[in-house]
Amino acid sequence: MKLLIDADYIVYKACAGAEDEINFGDDVILVTSKFSEAYNNVARDLSRIKAEFIWDTPEVILFFSDGQNFRKKIYPDYKGHRNRKKPCGYRRVINELKNEYEVIRMPQLEADDALGIYATANPDNVIVSPDKDMRQIPGRLYDLKEMMIVNKKEGDHWHLIQTLAGDQTDGYSGAPGFGVKTSIKLFEENGYIWETVVKAFERKNLTEDNALMNARLAKILQVEDYDFANQQPIFWQPSSTSSSGADDGTAVSNEKDRRSAS
């Protein structure tokens, strides 16, 4: 068993906690950081996580986001409100972690996507992340509070819920007026299908294209959603409604594929 850890948050928090300020007056403030303190903060958090699995000595893989983000090609304002630079020592800590752990960062992908791809290509491991987005990925998830098992149907449903509810933290809005609870209620009444999403957007005077953009922003990639040869994501595309009432969303990379999938 391997622990697949979303390490962006851990390292960011650890490095931010190690920062200090020197006020020189005259409108000059110098931000400083002690590398050993930042690194020890990370080591402490990773040790706490591993201690939750006392029945095993799990191998740890750390996942980080790339500097480029493919979602900005879909929506340029994605995470546009997050303009703060990384805290002091952030990159140095990551480089040092490579000497102790396997570190994975994939071109244009966020850590969530790299995690989703690895976890679905290599089942029977444990994703470690407090991010609710990871409820899309089938398998075992430890959210730093409890362990849960996510099956494929539940993961697909959560993707549709996030498409409709949006995520203000990531900067996409979903359909106005819909939160997670109201979205779940709507799906329970009308079915977890793409048509439910589209009709909800249309009631807010938005189009299916708006819904599709939100769905692609919300989608956490799995192994079938990535073109390894060209190292780029395959954009999610809804297809027909299955007999079970769940949308069997598939991924196509361009409009030609979209037409052939219809």
Side-chain angles (χ1 to χ4, degrees), residues 35-47:
F35 169 75
S36 60
E37 181 181 348
Y39 192 84
N40 288 337
N41 288 344
V42 175
R44 179 197 63 224
D45 286 347
L46 293 178
S47 293

Side-chain angles (χ1 to χ4, degrees), residues 165-220:
D167 190 331
Q168 297 300 324
T169 301
D170 286 342
Y172 65 96
S173 59
F178 282 92
V180 170
K181 290 182 179 179
T182 52
S183 297
I184 291 174
K185 181 180 179 181
L186 183 70
F187 284 120
E188 292 295 331
E189 293 173 350
N190 297 278
Y192 284 88
I193 56 177
W194 182 243
E195 183 181 7
T196 303
V197 177
V198 173
K199 286 183 176 179
F201 273 80
E202 288 177 343
R203 285 200 297 271
K204 301 297 181 177
N205 296 317
L206 296 170
T207 67
E208 183 172 1
D209 284 341
N210 296 127
L212 184 57
M213 181 188 73
N214 278 270
R216 288 174 170 175
L217 293 174
K219 176 66 174 176
I220 302 302

Side-chain angles (χ1 to χ4, degrees), residues 24 36 57 62 73 83 127 129 161 169 216 226 234 242 251:
F24 288 97
S36 60
T57 305
L62 305 180
K73 297 178 181 178
N83 294 319
I127 293 175
S129 174
I161 291 166
T169 301
R216 288 174 170 175
Y226 192 71
I234 302 170
S242 68

Side-chain angles (χ1 to χ4, degrees), residues 139-193:
R140 288 182 290 177
L141 170 64
Y142 176 57
D143 67 357
L144 303 184
K145 294 180 181 179
E146 61 178 343
M147 180 78 77
M148 62 188 75
I149 305 295
V150 180
N151 63 43
K152 186 179 187 309
K153 182 178 180 180
E154 291 169 338
D156 291 343
H157 287 184
W158 189 251
H159 171 233
L160 293 180
I161 291 166
Q162 289 191 290
T163 297
L164 189 53
D167 190 331
Q168 297 300 324
T169 301
D170 286 342
Y172 65 96
S173 59
F178 282 92
V180 170
K181 290 182 179 179
T182 52
S183 297
I184 291 174
K185 181 180 179 181
L186 183 70
F187 284 120
E188 292 295 331
E189 293 173 350
N190 297 278
Y192 284 88
I193 56 177

Side-chain angles (χ1 to χ4, degrees), residues 28-206:
V28 177
I29 299 175
L30 177 67
V31 178
T32 64
S33 177
K34 191 172 183 180
F35 169 75
S36 60
E37 181 181 348
Y39 192 84
N40 288 337
N41 288 344
V42 175
R44 179 197 63 224
D45 286 347
L46 293 178
S47 293
R48 286 175 179 171
I49 291 171
K50 289 187 284 186
E52 295 293 328
F53 299 85
I54 56 175
W55 63 87
D56 199 352
T57 305
E59 181 182 344
V60 170
I61 304 179
L62 305 180
F63 292 79
F64 292 94
S65 298
D66 188 47
Q68 302 296 316
N69 191 325
F70 80 91
R71 288 180 175 84
K72 287 188 174 291
K73 297 178 181 178
I74 300 172
Y75 182 54
D77 288 336
Y78 180 76
K79 289 188 175 179
H81 59 293
R82 297 189 184 184
N83 294 319
R84 189 187 186 280
K85 71 175 185 64
K86 293 291 191 293
C88 293
Y90 182 84
R91 290 175 178 80
R92 182 179 173 187
V93 167
I94 294 175
N95 287 333
E96 188 66 23
L97 286 168
K98 292 177 182 178
N99 296 324
E100 189 173 354
Y101 299 98
E102 181 178 357
V103 169
I104 293 180
R105 176 190 281 150
M106 298 177 68
Q108 301 185 58
L109 303 189
E110 297 181 64
D112 292 354
D113 299 304
L115 264 168
I117 291 169
Y118 188 98
T120 48
N122 303 275
D124 299 324
N125 295 309
V126 178
I127 293 175
V128 180
S129 174
D131 195 332
K132 64 184 184 300
D133 293 350
M134 301 315 296
R135 297 181 194 177
Q136 294 183 30
I137 306 302
R140 288 182 290 177
L141 170 64
Y142 176 57
D143 67 357
L144 303 184
K145 294 180 181 179
E146 61 178 343
M147 180 78 77
M148 62 188 75
I149 305 295
V150 180
N151 63 43
K152 186 179 187 309
K153 182 178 180 180
E154 291 169 338
D156 291 343
H157 287 184
W158 189 251
H159 171 233
L160 293 180
I161 291 166
Q162 289 191 290
T163 297
L164 189 53
D167 190 331
Q168 297 300 324
T169 301
D170 286 342
Y172 65 96
S173 59
F178 282 92
V180 170
K181 290 182 179 179
T182 52
S183 297
I184 291 174
K185 181 180 179 181
L186 183 70
F187 284 120
E188 292 295 331
E189 293 173 350
N190 297 278
Y192 284 88
I193 56 177
W194 182 243
E195 183 181 7
T196 303
V197 177
V198 173
K199 286 183 176 179
F201 273 80
E202 288 177 343
R203 285 200 297 271
K204 301 297 181 177
N205 296 317
L206 296 170

